[in-house]
Amino acid sequence: MSLNTLFVCCIWLYLFHYSVEARVRHYNFDVEYMIKKPDCLEHVVMGINGQFPGPTIRAEVGDTLDIALTNKLHTEGTVIHWHGIRQVGTPWADGTAAISQCAINPGETFHYRFIVDRPGTYFYHGHYGMQRASGLYGSLIVDLPKGQNESFHYDGEFNLLLSDFYHTNSHEQEVGLSSKPMRWIGEPQTLLINGRGQFNCSVAAKFINTTLPQCKLKGGEECAPQILHVEPNKTYRIRIASTTSLASLNLAISNHKLIVVEADGNYVQPFSVDDLDIYSGESYSVLINTDQNPKKNYWLSIGVRGRKPNTPQGLTILNYKTISASVFPSSPPPITPLWNDLNHSKTFTKKIIAKMGTPQPPETSNRRILLLNTQNSFNGFTKWSINNVSLTLPTTPYLGSIKFKLNNTFDKNPPPETFPSDYDIFNPPVNPNTNIGNGVYMFQLGEVIDVILQNANQLSGNGSEIHPWHLHGHDFWVLGYGDGKFNEGDEKKFNLTHAPLRNTAVIFPYGWTALRFRADNPGVWAFHCHIEPHLHMGMGVIFAEGVDKVKKIPDQALACGITGKMFFNQGHY
C-alpha cells in the first residue's frame, strides 16, 4: 500500500469514527417569566422550562445542538445567543436580534441548530433588549470526545455561573436608561452563584464586620448556597462564567490557590493566583488542590471590582466531606481587593498567555480600526458611542439585508475607522454630542484585522469605566494592553509569540487594548461592550464578511422587516 493510499485510509477511518461518535442533542426550551426567590425575596425572573438559571447544556466536540426555543413571554420577542460558540456555517443561529435573525414572536418556536466544534466553558443568554438582566441565561459546557483527555488531571468538576441581580425589572431599567434625563440603574442588590444569593443578610455575618444579620435559611430554600463538596487530597476543576449585567467580579477560595488553565474556551499556560478577576462575558477553568486541613470548611466568595461597590459579597462553602457541610468555616471569607486597585486587575490579566501549541497571530494585519469609547449626548439623551456613533439596530436583520443586497435597510455609509488624533481622552469631550447610526464595517473574507479599543473620560466630571468587549463569530488574539492614548510606537509592544485567544477582552480606564483576528467566518457579527446597560445605550459596532458565501438561511430567521415582506410576496409563507 502506498503512503498516499495509507494516508487517505487513515483520514477516512478518522472521519468515520468522528461521524459515529458525534450526535445530535435535542432540547426543547420554553422561555417564560416565573416567580422565584433567587435572593430569598420573591421576584419575577425570566427562565427556561421553569428553571432559573436555565438548564445546563452539556455536549461533546462535534455534536450538533438542536434547540427548539418557544417564546412563552406573551408580550415581547426573544432570542438566545450561544456565547463563545463561533457558529461556523450557521451565522443565522448566533441569536442576535436584528443582526443574525428576527426576534422570535410570542407563541412562536425557532430551531437553533449548530455544531459545537471546540471544548470549553461557555454559556447562553438573551440578546434582545435587556433580557439577560432579567435572568435569561444558562451554562453551556463542551467536553472533549470520549476517549480524549485534557492535558491537565482532575478528579471532579464544578460549574459556577456568576451573575448580579436587581430588584427593578429590566423593563424599568430600559425606560430609565432611555429617559431624559437618563436614570442610571445603580449597583445590583445581590450577587448570585448559580442563581442563588442572599439579600439583607449574610451567611458569614458571624465572621465579618457587617451591619447585616446572620442569614437564617431553611432547609431546601432556593436561595440557600449550593455547597461544593470535595474529598481531601484531590484535584478539582471549577468552571466559572460571568453573565453579569453590570458588575465586574473577583473570586477567591480561602486557603486555596487557583490554577488557571482555560479562558473563554481556549487553553492558557497554567498559572497560580490567590484570586481571579472575571468580567461580564468571560469564562475560565481553574484547578484547586484540596490539600488543606480536612477538619475545616472554607469560604468561596465573589465581590465587586472596578466600580465603587454597594453590593455585599456572594458566598458559598467548599465542604471537605470529612466533616459536615453545616459547619461554618472558622475564619472570615477572603477580602475582595479594593474596587479601584487597577494594578491588581492588570497584573492578573497580563498573566494570561496562550498555552504552547496555540495558533499564533499573523505577524501583520491588512487593516487597522481604532474604536474610541465615549459617553455622549443625543438630543438630551445620554448615549455611549464608538467614534462618535451610537449604535441603533435596524428593523430588518443585517444578515438578510446584506445577503439579498437590500437598499435602505441600514446606513450604507461605513462607520468611521478612527477618531481625531488630537482627542483628549483624559477630559470630558469638547463636543458632547453624538450621532445615531447603524452602518457596518465590511471586511474581505480572510482579511486580518487589528482593532484598537481606546477608553476615554466620561461625559462630565472625571472618570473612566471598565468595558469588557465581546466579539461574536470569532476568537481574537489579545496583542496587548496599554495606559493612556494609543500611538504608533505602541505596536512594538505587541505580543506576537504567545498571545492568548479570547472572545472577550477588557479595556481598563484611560487605557487601550489591541486585538487581532482573521475575518474568516462568513456572516454578520456583533462586537460590543458586554455590560448590558452600555449596549442598550449604543456601545457596539457591527462587522460583516463573506455574506455572499452564507448558504441558505432559514426563512423564519428573516421573517420580519423587508425580508419578511419579500418572502411573503414570494409565497414562502
Side-chain angles (χ1 to χ4, degrees):
M1 183 182 294
S2 71
L3 287 177
N4 285 342
T5 304
L6 181 61
F7 177 76
V8 170
C9 288
C10 288
I11 291 294
W12 184 87
L13 287 171
Y14 171 80
L15 292 174
F16 175 76
H17 171 76
Y18 183 80
S19 64
V20 168
E21 293 297 320
R23 55 184 284 191
V24 178
R25 298 177 185 262
H26 297 277
Y27 293 85
N28 292 309
F29 275 13
D30 291 346
V31 176
E32 55 196 334
Y33 283 111
M34 59 196 71
I35 297 174
K36 292 287 186 181
K37 292 184 177 180
D39 63 355
C40 303
L41 299 180
E42 275 195 353
H43 304 280
V44 173
V45 300
M46 194 176 287
I48 295 173
N49 298 350
Q51 298 182 42
F52 168 80
T56 296
I57 294 174
R58 193 125 200 173
E60 293 179 5
V61 170
D63 286 351
T64 296
L65 296 182
D66 189 331
I67 301 156
L69 188 80
T70 300
N71 181 359
K72 292 192 173 181
L73 300 177
H74 302 300
T75 60
E76 60 191 289
T78 193
V79 294
I80 284 186
H81 168 55
W82 316 95
H83 187 108
I85 306 302
R86 293 176 298 177
Q87 300 294 348
V88 177
T90 51
W92 50 266
D94 190 45
T96 47
I99 301 171
S100 64
Q101 69 170 110
C102 300
I104 306 164
N105 290 323
E108 292 182 348
T109 298
F110 183 84
H111 275 266
Y112 289 100
R113 187 179 176 93
F114 54 90
I115 293 173
V116 288
D117 61 343
R118 296 176 307 158
T121 304
Y122 308 104
F123 59 100
Y124 61 86
H125 61 80
H127 216 293
Y128 180 73
M130 289 178 60
Q131 290 180 349
R132 175 160 53 93
S134 289
L136 185 53
Y137 46 73
S139 294
L140 198 170
I141 308 300
V142 182
D143 295 307
L144 286 168
K146 286 184 176 61
Q148 294 187 27
N149 297 315
E150 301 281 12
S151 60
F152 43 86
H153 166 78
Y154 54 97
D155 302 294
E157 179 179 313
F158 299 100
N159 182 48
L160 301 182
L161 189 62
L162 311 181
S163 52
D164 48 11
F165 190 74
Y166 286 84
H167 290 178
T168 53
N169 64 56
S170 61
H171 297 299
E172 187 175 342
Q173 293 180 33
E174 288 177 9
V175 172
L177 293 169
S178 302
S179 295
K180 185 166 55 173
M182 182 264 287
R183 297 184 182 184
W184 179 241
I185 65 171
E187 300 303 308
Q189 278 67 60
T190 316
L191 300 179
L192 305 181
I193 302 173
N194 289 343
R196 298 171 178 231
Q198 300 78 43
F199 177 69
N200 267 352
C201 71
S202 172
V203 293
K206 297 176 182 178
F207 307 94
I208 57 178
N209 182 18
T210 178
T211 58
L212 295 174
Q214 180 70 33
C215 293
K216 297 179 180 179
L217 301 173
K218 301 173 184 177
E221 199 161 0
E222 65 183 84
C223 61
Q226 286 186 348
I227 308 297
L228 278 62
H229 302 284
V230 298
E231 301 278 358
N233 300 311
K234 302 287 186 180
T235 299
Y236 290 87
R237 178 182 191 169
I238 304 179
R239 298 178 183 269
I240 309 162
S242 174
T243 185
T244 54
S245 178
L246 175 68
S248 303
L249 300 175
N250 179 270
L251 180 144
I253 303 175
S254 300
N255 293 41
H256 291 74
K257 293 283 189 180
L258 309 175
I259 303 168
V260 182
V261 293
E262 176 211 348
D264 293 353
N266 293 285
Y267 298 115
V268 300
Q269 196 64 33
F271 64 96
S272 177
V273 289
D274 294 320
D275 57 81
L276 170 147
D277 278 351
I278 181 167
Y279 303 97
S280 179
E282 292 187 326
S283 65
Y284 291 98
S285 280
V286 300
L287 303 179
I288 64 164
N289 295 313
T290 53
D291 54 5
Q292 297 302 299
N293 185 344
K295 296 181 180 179
K296 292 184 177 182
N297 289 324
Y298 301 87
W299 294 111
L300 183 153
S301 72
I302 56 172
V304 173
R305 300 278 284 125
R307 303 179 62 86
K308 194 170 184 178
N310 193 27
T311 312
Q313 284 180 302
L315 295 168
T316 189
I317 290 174
L318 185 76
N319 162 239
Y320 278 63
K321 292 182 182 178
T322 43
I323 64 169
S324 169
S326 64
V327 175
F328 277 100
S330 57
S331 57
I335 298 174
T336 304
L338 288 176
W339 68 274
N340 57 355
D341 183 357
L342 288 177
N343 287 332
H344 186 93
S345 301
K346 292 175 183 178
T347 298
F348 169 77
T349 302
K350 291 176 182 179
K351 285 183 178 179
I352 302 169
I353 61 174
K355 186 180 179 183
M356 193 75 70
T358 301
Q360 285 304 290
E363 292 185 3
T364 59
S365 63
N366 304 112
R367 187 169 167 187
R368 174 178 293 170
I369 298 174
L370 287 88
L371 301 179
L372 175 69
N373 296 258
T374 57
Q375 193 180 53
N376 299 91
S377 178
F378 180 79
N379 292 338
F381 296 96
T382 303
K383 296 289 185 181
W384 283 100
S385 302
I386 305 302
N387 292 351
N388 211 44
V389 178
S390 184
L391 180 64
T392 180
L393 295 173
T395 56
T396 301
Y398 288 103
L399 186 62
S401 294
I402 299 172
K403 173 71 173 175
F404 300 112
K405 299 180 173 59
L406 301 178
N407 295 319
N408 305 318
T409 54
F410 65 90
D411 186 358
K412 297 302 190 294
N413 294 316
E417 298 210 356
T418 188
F419 56 92
S421 59
D422 60 352
Y423 189 93
D424 182 0
I425 68 165
F426 296 104
N427 286 295
V430 175
N431 174 16
N433 298 314
T434 188
N435 301 301
I436 299 294
N438 53 27
V440 177
Y441 293 94
M442 299 281 192
F443 303 137
Q444 296 296 317
L445 195 59
E447 257 191 311
V448 177
I449 311 297
D450 278 0
V451 176
I452 311 297
L453 291 163
Q454 177 69 63
N455 217 338
N457 199 85
Q458 61 198 27
L459 181 58
S460 60
N462 293 317
S464 182
E465 297 187 31
I466 283 175
H467 300 291
W469 273 71
H470 171 59
L471 177 59
H472 294 228
H474 309 76
D475 282 348
F476 48 68
W477 290 278
V478 182
L479 302 185
Y481 306 87
D483 296 324
K485 194 171 177 180
F486 179 83
N487 60 63
E488 290 299 325
D490 289 323
E491 188 173 356
K492 296 177 182 177
K493 305 173 188 176
F494 286 176
N495 171 16
L496 299 176
T497 57
H498 46 257
L501 276 167
R502 305 290 303 265
N503 62 55
T504 305
V506 62
I507 327 171
F508 291 108
Y510 299 114
W512 56 264
T513 299
L515 315 173
R516 180 170 292 173
F517 72 98
R518 193 182 295 277
D520 57 1
N521 191 8
V524 184
W525 310 105
F527 182 43
H528 61 90
C529 179
H530 210 260
I531 292 174
E532 192 82 308
H534 290 181
L535 175 58
H536 179 77
M537 297 164 70
M539 198 173 190
V541 296
I542 305 297
F543 292 161
E545 71 234 30
V547 178
D548 59 313
K549 306 294 184 186
V550 175
K551 296 181 181 178
K552 178 168 174 56
I553 303 167
D555 291 352
Q556 192 182 3
L558 304 177
C560 61
I562 302 300
T563 49
K565 294 177 182 177
M566 182 178 73
F567 290 158
F568 181 82
N569 291 334
Q570 293 174 355
H572 287 221
Y573 304 125

